[in-house]
Amino acid sequence: MTRTDDHPAVEVEPVGMIERIRLSGTSRLRISAVREYGIVFAFAAMFVTLSVTSPVFLTSANLLNVLNQSSDVGIIAVAGTLVVIAGGFDLSVGATYAVGGVVAAQLTPHIGVFGSLLAGVLVGLGFGLANGAIVTVGRINPFIGTLASQIMIRGFALVLTGGALISVTNTSFATLGQGTVFTVRYAVIVWLVFGCILAYILGRTTFGRYVYAVGGNAEAARLSGVRVGLVRGATFALSGLAAGLAGIVAASRVSTGQADTGVGLELSAIAAIVIGGTSILGGEGAVWRTVLGVLLITMIGNGFNLLDVNPTYQQIFQGTIILVAVGIDAFARRSRR
Amino acid sequence: MTTSQPHIELRDVGKRFGGVQAVSGVSLRIERGTIHALVGENGAGKSTLGKMIAGVHRPDAGEMRVDGRLVRYSSPREALADGVTIIAQELALVPQRSVIENVFLGNAGVAKSAGSLRDQRRRYGELQDLAGYAVPPDVRISSLRVADQQKVEILKALAREARLIVMDEPTAALTAEETARLFEVVRGLRDRGTSIVFVSHFLDEVLSLVDTVSIMRDGKLVRTRPAVEETSESLVTGMLGRSLDTSFPPKVPPAPSAPVVLSVRDLSASGLVEDVSFDVRAGEIVGLAGLVGSGRSEIARALFGADTKSSGDVSIGGDRIDVRSPRDGVRAGIALLPEDRKDQGLLMQRSILHNITLPHLGRVSRAGVVSRGRERRAALDLISRIGIRASGPMAAVSTLSGGNQQKVLFAKWLFGGPRLLIADEPTRGVDVGAKRAIYELIHSLAAEGVSVLVISSELEEVLGLAHRVLVLRSGRLVAEYDHEEMSEERVMHSIFATDQSSTSGTSS
Ligand SMILES: Nc1ncnc2c1ncn2[C@@H]1O[C@H](COP(=O)(O)OP(=O)(O)OP(=O)(O)O)[C@@H](O)[C@H]1O
Ligand SMILES: [Mg+2]
């Protein structure tokens, strides 16, 4: 290949590049830090504030409680992160969450605990695949497509239950949601393990790269040989699977399948994703951001309880946090000019 | 027109992006009613300077005066209020909207006339007269070619009554003829008192057009002189700090025994390309010449699978291939450097590294997991080989200068080690030094046995690079010239449907 050292114009430049790498190491970090690590600062600030103001906050029981409360939204949001990065949007997860739990609860008497829990997850995966098909093959805007499928899936859950609560008498059904290992709930472990798996998929695998590529510039991705539809569809499938998984965890926690549970869960998930700093425009973001976003939101709720503030203010505060998160992002983008 | 007071005066202006000092200590006067060129290598800071003038970037040092008045623009809107605007290197029209909507987008002057569409149409007509060309007002921007989008940008600037227009590489995507017409327009604007800041890498072009030239190197101003005192050699020396041979590298034609790599038979595509047949041998560089719209890019896209080809047989290395998608193209060993790097080529928010390895990620991964060490080594190798200037391999492509973005695109498609490289406008927006480096790169690829198809709006580039030139007209192959036969005159003849051309050596 070209021996670059023959050619002065090329020879000079790599040297310049290395110089610039050195230069950029320090000062560059500082400037982009606010935008890049805003969620870390916010998380740390909230954590410190609550530690100082509430004696209970920093106890391990309370922290485990925060993790446990985060697990449903968390499982859904980490998968939702991939959907958003790929340029999509999944509004159907709250309904899928309900169906997953209902199916698991209903099937337990027939096929046993393990089979029925698995079935709950698979039903979620199925709806996820359907969403993927709607958005990619059907070329329907993901916002509208999953809004419609959400209504259908919720209806499906109602048809299955006939509006009644499905209680499970088999006690081992509750293990997933209530069992602990060294005082840590299985639910928390499921969440964290699932998050790690998705972080690995997104950060280290070729599929993860394609997810960023598809959301960043679909046409450029296509012209690079990436199967855009397949990748997008797969993120929806993962999101459905996650909703099913969160659904069985929740059903197991209360030993009940409910058709009307998880209303608005999709919005909490999206809020966590956005607060974490993943761009709703697609192409940028990370799973760890979402994990911190979920924890921040849960901590706010937890803090309000601990400090005994009227819970109605909590929503106002959470809404403000979302605005601030998006605002910082927009401001940082502008000041980067 | 006062001669004493410059239209714009910069004093010690500087701008830093993170670790990169893009512009530093630049003092410059732009006289009213003149065309003022900015030249310099890729990354020298030309666009950054232009953007500061137009309020896109805010300088972090120095001061700027417009009409003698101290200004500190914090947005393009403020600059526009003083009649200062920019036509950016990466065009910024709204692709889904019509031409006329774009021209009047966010234009306060027109909003006053109470949304009357008739007024707008009338005004649009006036603007066309002013500019001296016509663009159909109701077509969508996305269906226009870059040259026409450029024209729309100028109309837009005129609609905003700009008195100083920064044009950042406006001719990078234009053919010689379109460039000549644009120059007419620009001269006309100047003669009516508009000042123009003109950024370009085409030095001869610059010298024929502008009144004054400023040379930039590494963010600093080297000198400002009247254009008549400069030659393209003196500009190159000023830009690089040394002289450079800007001629084309010598051609080494492939051995006569070299096997045919690409064989195309009766290709018809996109309703435009009809029954095109040709061969390209290993190590051969074949140029596709023709007017824009003659089917050059369409052939490229059809071969790669970017558009679904309608019919015809294509084989690579003797094996018939059925390319239905870019993915098939990539797998068949074809690389397509698309003509539009921003929309079709690069992921602007992602790093150089991730862009380079995207089409052939499989090469640096095992079982679907990217091996980061291998990826980094492979990319660093290409980065230094092609001479991409950036703060590091993880720098987002959006932070690179235009020419360096083009180099990333090149690196991306070399990464896979293609058998057939189709380069559509391979040197769009790169500086003289890098251009020569890219030419050498293309030659060295050919020397390794890669077949190359070159498409360029610069005929000179096609003739300077190619071992053989195929001329297209209205989607048909009308002539073919080998190395001995090709001359600018002959090829021009064939490009512009003069009758004798079709007999002067029609394709095999
Ligand atoms: N938004 C940005 N963020 C970070 N760095 C930037 C940004 N814009 C420009 N730079 C850096 O500033 C330097 C000057 O860039 P600029 O775009 O002004 O170059 P240029 O002279 O226009 O080059 P070209 O001929 O390639 O267009 C480059 O090193 C570039 O990487
Ligand atoms: Mg530039």
Side-chain angles (χ1 to χ4, degrees):
Chain A
M1 298 245 154
T2 328
R3 299 212 348 270
T4 49
D5 40 357
D6 286 351
H7 181 53
V10 185
E11 189 194 31
V12 174
E13 284 166 351
V15 178
M17 192 190 77
I18 290 162
E19 277 169 16
R20 282 165 193 230
I21 295 175
R22 297 233 177 84
L23 241 175
S24 65
T26 50
S27 55
R28 212 181 134 159
L29 260 178
R30 235 177 296 140
I31 291 174
S32 56
V34 180
R35 179 183 129 67
E36 285 287 306
Y37 300 107
I39 178 63
V40 179
F41 295 151
F43 179 84
M46 182 62 67
F47 194 89
V48 171
T49 312
L50 291 180
S51 307
V52 173
T53 51
S54 159
V56 185
F57 178 75
L58 216 48
T59 60
S60 70
N62 184 59
L63 292 179
L64 285 172
N65 183 29
V66 167
L67 280 174
N68 190 37
Q69 283 175 354
S70 304
S71 55
D72 293 7
V73 182
I75 290 170
I76 289 174
V78 290
T81 308
L82 271 67
V83 177
V84 171
I85 293 175
F89 220 76
D90 190 352
L91 290 179
S92 71
V93 284
T96 307
Y97 168 90
V99 163
V102 164
V103 167
Q106 278 186 327
L107 288 181
T108 302
H110 310 291
I111 61 173
V113 170
F114 182 76
S116 59
L117 291 178
L118 186 64
V121 176
L122 290 179
V123 166
L125 176 64
F127 283 122
L129 284 169
N131 280 331
I134 289 171
V135 169
T136 58
V137 182
R139 291 174 186 276
I140 293 170
N141 174 299
F143 190 86
I144 306 298
T146 58
L147 186 68
S149 69
Q150 173 205 36
I151 296 169
M152 281 163 27
I153 297 168
R154 182 72 70 188
F156 194 70
L158 283 167
V159 169
L160 281 181
T161 61
L165 298 183
I166 314 293
S167 314
V168 184
T169 45
N170 188 333
T171 48
S172 57
F173 184 78
T175 311
L176 178 66
Q178 295 179 2
T180 58
V181 49
F182 298 121
T183 72
V184 181
R185 297 257 189 154
Y186 287 139
V188 172
I189 293 169
V190 168
W191 176 39
L192 296 179
V193 168
F194 189 64
C196 288
I197 292 173
L198 289 191
Y200 185 81
I201 289 178
L202 187 62
R204 303 296 295 273
T205 67
T206 53
F207 173 73
R209 286 292 174 78
Y210 296 151
V211 168
Y212 284 110
V214 162
N217 183 343
E219 179 63 3
R222 189 180 77 91
L223 291 176
S224 303
V226 177
R227 285 174 289 188
V228 174
L230 200 68
V231 172
R232 277 227 168 105
T235 62
F236 279 95
L238 270 174
S239 175
L241 178 133
L245 181 63
I248 61 164
V249 168
S252 158
R253 190 179 292 129
V254 291
S255 290
T256 308
Q258 285 169 264
D260 57 357
T261 184
V263 175
L265 197 56
E266 61 281 351
L267 298 181
S268 309
I270 288 166
I273 293 167
V274 171
I275 288 176
T278 292
S279 169
I280 17 170
L281 302 177
E284 283 180 282
V287 168
W288 65 264
R289 297 181 167 283
T290 299
V291 171
L292 289 188
V294 171
L295 290 176
L296 181 66
I297 292 184
T298 317
M299 272 188 339
I300 294 170
N302 181 252
F304 272 73
N305 288 339
L306 293 180
L307 300 177
D308 217 7
V309 183
N310 183 339
T312 40
Y313 290 113
Q314 190 178 319
Q315 291 187 351
I316 299 176
F317 191 66
Q318 283 182 355
T320 313
I321 293 270
I322 296 175
L323 271 184
V324 169
V326 179
I328 286 178
D329 182 52
F331 180 78
R333 266 170 220 268
R334 237 178 296 134
S335 67
R336 201 161 38 163
R337 299 186 141 179
Chain B
M1 260 196 268
T2 41
T3 41
S4 57
Q5 193 181 71
H7 195 157
I8 289 203
E9 184 170 13
L10 305 175
R11 213 170 278 159
D12 281 329
V13 167
K15 177 75 188 175
R16 195 179 177 81
F17 293 105
V20 180
Q21 186 71 45
V23 169
S24 70
V26 170
S27 301
L28 193 64
R29 291 161 62 99
I30 292 158
E31 306 296 338
R32 195 178 312 280
T34 63
I35 308 176
H36 192 126
L38 290 180
V39 300
E41 282 184 285
N42 292 135
K46 307 177 298 293
S47 298
T48 307
L49 190 65
K51 285 179 182 168
M52 287 193 287
I53 292 175
V56 178
H57 288 321
R58 199 194 306 217
D60 40 36
E63 55 180 49
M64 183 167 127
R65 284 168 198 280
V66 176
D67 300 322
R69 204 164 33 82
L70 196 64
V71 295
R72 278 191 68 79
Y73 298 136
S74 54
S75 74
R77 182 172 284 269
E78 288 176 29
L80 194 58
D82 287 347
V84 177
T85 191
I86 185 169
I87 300 177
Q89 190 167 6
E90 313 293 342
L91 298 184
L93 298 167
V94 185
Q96 301 84 2
R97 313 305 301 183
S98 72
V99 167
I100 192 163
E101 281 174 301
N102 268 280
V103 167
F104 294 115
L105 192 76
N107 189 328
V110 170
K112 257 183 264 157
S113 53
S116 151
L117 284 176
R118 254 214 329 247
D119 272 4
Q120 248 185 30
R121 300 249 155 209
R122 191 179 39 74
R123 178 105 177 86
Y124 188 80
E126 288 169 13
L127 292 174
Q128 285 186 334
D129 293 344
L130 197 64
Y133 55 75
V135 183
D138 297 309
V139 300
R140 271 181 171 214
I141 293 294
S142 55
S143 68
L144 289 181
R145 301 187 328 89
V146 183
D148 291 324
Q149 293 189 12
Q150 194 82 55
K151 291 180 185 161
V152 177
E153 286 273 17
I154 295 177
L155 289 178
K156 188 170 154 189
L158 292 177
R160 294 157 170 231
E161 288 163 1
R163 292 179 301 110
L164 184 138
I165 306 177
V166 179
M167 295 187 177
D168 198 351
E169 302 196 28
T171 59
L174 304 193
T175 61
E177 202 193 336
E178 287 167 334
T179 301
R181 254 182 279 145
L182 177 74
F183 281 12
E184 288 302 306
V185 174
V186 174
R187 288 195 187 101
L189 290 174
R190 171 191 57 191
D191 296 343
R192 267 169 260 126
T194 307
S195 314
I196 310 279
V197 174
F198 194 88
V199 180
S200 175
H201 289 294
F202 299 101
L203 303 177
D204 293 326
E205 204 178 276
V206 162
L207 290 173
S208 75
L209 174 72
V210 310
D211 305 299
T212 316
V213 189
S214 289
I215 304 176
M216 293 187 70
R217 190 199 312 154
D218 287 334
K220 298 191 187 65
L221 188 70
V222 176
R223 63 168 180 261
T224 301
R225 271 193 207 159
V228 290
E229 291 175 21
E230 299 277 9
T231 63
S232 60
E233 290 76 37
S234 71
L235 290 181
V236 169
T237 314
M239 283 164 56
L240 307 184
R242 62 189 158 76
S243 61
L244 173 80
D245 177 11
T246 55
S247 62
F248 286 87
K251 295 181 189 176
V252 185
S257 59
V260 168
V261 169
L262 172 71
S263 163
V264 179
R265 291 291 170 271
D266 304 321
L267 180 76
S268 299
S270 312
L272 178 63
V273 176
E274 264 179 83
D275 293 334
V276 168
S277 301
F278 63 93
D279 290 337
V280 183
R281 287 182 299 146
E284 194 178 21
I285 305 173
V286 173
L288 289 182
L291 294 176
V292 172
S294 61
R296 300 172 314 180
S297 296
E298 286 72 13
I299 290 179
R301 290 176 62 88
L303 290 177
F304 185 64
D307 299 327
T308 33
K309 78 165 187 217
S310 26
S311 67
D313 293 340
V314 176
S315 26
I316 293 252
D319 304 322
R320 263 203 60 182
I321 54 168
D322 186 17
V323 177
R324 292 157 180 277
S325 70
R327 186 178 153 79
D328 295 340
V330 169
R331 289 183 152 188
I334 304 175
L336 172 68
L337 225 67
E339 59 178 329
D340 184 335
R341 64 173 168 255
K342 191 178 76 170
D343 291 336
Q344 303 171 348
L346 297 171
L347 309 171
M348 301 302 281
Q349 303 310 319
R350 307 299 296 164
S351 66
I352 300 174
L353 187 68
H354 290 188
N355 269 281
I356 290 179
T357 54
L358 182 65
H360 292 280
L361 257 187
R363 304 268 165 99
V364 288
S365 45
R366 189 169 298 141
V369 177
V370 181
S371 147
R372 293 198 283 191
R374 268 204 289 164
E375 178 183 35
R376 209 182 157 84
R377 276 194 298 280
L380 278 177
D381 184 46
L382 277 165
I383 287 174
S384 66
R385 198 171 123 199
I386 299 178
I388 298 168
R389 281 177 79 159
S391 56
M394 292 313 286
V397 169
S398 63
T399 66
L400 300 186
S401 75
N404 280 301
Q405 292 176 3
Q406 184 70 22
K407 294 185 206 166
V408 173
L409 196 58
F410 225 93
K412 167 177 168 176
W413 285 111
L414 288 196
F415 173 61
R419 299 173 79 181
L420 169 68
L421 172 71
I422 308 174
D424 200 348
E425 307 290 354
T427 62
R428 175 173 292 175
V430 308
D431 65 43
V432 278
K435 218 173 214 181
R436 165 88 196 202
I438 286 180
Y439 295 153
E440 288 186 352
L441 201 62
I442 290 178
H443 275 292
S444 70
L445 286 171
E448 285 167 32
V450 176
S451 303
V452 184
L453 266 180
V454 175
I455 301 173
S456 172
S457 1
E458 290 171 65
L459 188 54
E460 198 190 316
E461 185 165 280
V462 174
L463 296 176
L465 269 177
H467 300 129
R468 193 152 55 96
V469 174
L470 306 175
V471 182
L472 287 156
R473 199 167 62 226
S474 316
R476 290 175 182 278
L477 211 55
V478 294
E480 171 175 349
Y481 300 99
D482 66 20
H483 184 47
E484 278 87 53
E485 300 166 335
M486 70 170 80
S487 72
E488 186 152 351
E489 205 178 339
R490 281 180 171 168
V491 174
M492 286 298 259
H493 251 295
S494 310
I495 289 177
F496 294 101
T498 39
D499 269 328
Q500 67 270 36
S501 67
S502 42
T503 56
S504 70
T506 311
S507 83
S508 49

